[in-house]
Amino acid sequence: MGCTTSTTTQTISKVDNKTETGSDHNNNDNASNISPTLALGAGCYWGTEKFIVKNFQKKFPNSILEDDTKVGFMSVNPNNPLKNPNYKQVCAGNSGYIEVLNIKLNNPTPELFEELIRFFFTFHDPTTPNRQGNDWGSQYASVIFCSDEQQVQIARKVKSELQTLVTEKKIKAFAQKQVSTGIVEYTKFIKATAQHQRYLAKHPFGYCNHRIRFKNWPKQV
C-alpha cells in the first residue's frame, strides 16, 4: 500500500490566502513556553515521518516524543464537513485534508522549533504546490500547522529567509522559485491506521520520494 497520485489541482496558495493564521491562538507571554505540538505536511507522510523521527533526531537526539508523534490527516479548514476521513478518501484528492506528521516536541524551545522548521525545508520541495515528485494532489501540500503565535512567527521568519535564499540563488535545490508553503492554524488531527505508522521503519525499501536537498542552511549577509 503506497501513496497514490491524484489529479486534483487545488493549490495551497489559495488555501493559504484564506486560512493563514495571524491570530494569538494559545499565545504564551513567556517566550520559553512555545507549544510542543505542531503538524507538518511535506508530501507522502511516510517520508515526512522518517526524516523527522529518524534524521532530525540524529542532529537533535530525544527532541521528539516518539510515542506521541504519528502520521495522519489534518484539514486547513476547521469546519471541514468530513470529520473522520480514511486514507482512501484523502488520497482521492478532494477531501480537504493533507497528509501530515503530527509532532510532539520534547522540552520545546523557540530555538528547537526553528531548527525543526529549517530541517523541514531541506527534505522536500516547498516550491511545487500540491506536489512532491510523482505525487500530485492537495493532500501532498507543503504546510506548517502551528498551535501558537510563537510558532507562526518563527515559521514565517524561516519561510521568508528561505525565499530570499532561493531568490538570490543561494539555494538551487528546488524546481521553482516561489516558496508556497502554507503557515496555518493547527486543527483536528486524524490519526492514520497502525499499518501506516513507522511504515518505512518496518519496510526500509518502501516507497519514499523524499531526500536531503541541501545539508547546510546558507548564511545571509
Side-chain angles (χ1 to χ4, degrees), residues 3-216:
C3 291
T4 58
T5 57
S6 168
T7 58
T8 300
T9 58
Q10 179 189 3
T11 63
I12 189 61
S13 60
K14 291 181 181 179
V15 172
D16 204 28
N17 288 339
K18 292 181 180 178
T19 64
E20 182 161 352
T21 177
S23 69
D24 58 356
H25 177 66
N26 291 334
N27 191 30
N28 294 303
D29 293 331
N30 186 333
S32 65
N33 289 339
I34 191 168
S35 172
T37 304
L38 69 149
L40 297 175
C44 177
Y45 53 28
W46 295 344
T48 306
E49 179 185 63
K50 172 188 172 183
F51 276 87
I52 297 294
V53 173
K54 181 178 179 181
N55 297 67
F56 181 71
Q57 289 200 109
K58 286 182 179 179
K59 299 179 67 175
F60 298 93
N62 302 314
S63 58
I64 306 291
L65 294 174
E66 295 188 25
D67 289 344
D68 297 320
T69 296
K70 304 291 184 181
V71 298
F73 317 109
M74 191 169 289
S75 177
V76 298
N77 178 10
N79 299 313
N80 191 318
L82 182 60
K83 299 302 181 185
N84 291 289
N86 58 39
Y87 180 76
K88 184 176 181 180
Q89 288 173 312
V90 173
C91 281
N94 57 6
S95 69
Y97 281 84
I98 294 166
E99 291 194 12
V100 300
L101 177 67
N102 193 60
I103 300 167
K104 182 69 82 65
L105 295 173
N106 186 26
N107 297 320
T109 64
E111 293 77 17
L112 178 62
F113 180 82
E114 183 168 336
E115 291 289 353
L116 176 59
I117 298 305
R118 290 180 187 275
F119 184 79
F120 163 76
F121 282 121
T122 68
F123 69 83
H124 81 291
D125 190 339
T127 71
T128 53
N130 301 325
R131 177 186 177 186
Q132 289 299 315
N134 294 325
D135 293 333
W136 294 75
S138 58
Q139 70 271 30
Y140 301 119
S142 174
V143 186
I144 304 168
F145 289 90
C146 299
S147 60
D148 70 12
E149 182 65 14
Q150 279 195 89
Q151 290 187 355
V152 171
Q153 296 304 322
I154 293 170
R156 286 177 174 172
K157 170 192 168 186
V158 175
K159 178 182 174 181
S160 177
E161 288 180 5
L162 180 64
Q163 183 60 68
T164 297
L165 291 168
V166 171
T167 299
E168 294 178 350
K169 299 182 180 181
K170 294 181 180 179
I171 292 178
K172 302 178 181 179
F174 304 137
Q176 300 180 32
K177 303 301 182 185
Q178 184 68 39
V179 179
S180 62
T181 301
I183 300 171
V184 303
E185 185 174 5
Y186 184 95
T187 61
K188 182 181 178 181
F189 173 64
I190 309 298
K191 186 171 70 172
T193 59
Q195 68 185 32
H196 284 264
Q197 307 297 333
R198 304 295 188 268
Y199 184 85
L200 292 174
K202 295 180 286 189
H203 306 279
F205 299 104
Y207 177 82
C208 180
N209 64 12
H210 293 88
R211 68 181 190 277
I212 297 297
R213 294 170 180 269
F214 62 97
K215 292 184 177 180
N216 300 312

